[in-house]
Amino acid sequence: MSDEKTPLTEEQIAAALVEVPGWRRDGDEITRSYGIRYHGGVAMIVHVADVERLIGHHADIDLRWGKVRFGITTHDAGYLLTAADFDLAQRIDVIAAAHQAEPIDG
């Protein structure tokens, strides 16, 4: 993969998805949900947001009672998938594990 913000080809997206097990493609974004108690979810989101600020890339985040959903796409690349999205997905997985969040479907 070349530039972090260059849209990926379908082949590159398929290969990148293998590197982030549990993440699903939903159109031009990748998504994943975690089960976590509400206040733990808030703490996890703050941790993710701090990392996002440092790397200059962010996810769309949906916090519900007992569940946090992340959706990632590159807004400044026309809402297409880039290497930056998959890098952020890997970072979110590490943060979620540190907060003892459980991956869930849906």
Side-chain angles (χ1 to χ4, degrees), residues 40-63 68-70 72 88 91-96 99:
V42 171
M44 181 174 72
I45 288 169
V46 169
H47 191 165
V48 169
D50 190 42
V51 169
E52 291 172 334
R53 181 183 52 79
L54 292 173
I55 66 172
H57 195 54
H58 73 277
D60 293 324
I61 303 170
D62 181 26
L63 172 64
V68 176
R69 180 189 175 277
F70 295 93
I72 309 172
L88 179 55
R91 292 170 187 263
I92 289 171
D93 284 342
V94 170
I95 293 166
H99 287 267

Side-chain angles (χ1 to χ4, degrees), residues 6-43:
T6 299
L8 301 176
T9 65
E10 291 298 319
E11 294 78 22
Q12 290 171 316
I13 292 168
L17 278 168
V18 171
E19 300 299 317
V20 288
W23 286 83
R24 297 179 186 194
R25 183 175 183 186
D26 184 9
D28 287 322
E29 76 173 353
I30 54 174
T31 65
R32 190 164 197 194
S33 296
Y34 294 91
I36 187 168
R37 297 179 86 176
Y38 185 81
H39 291 94
V42 171

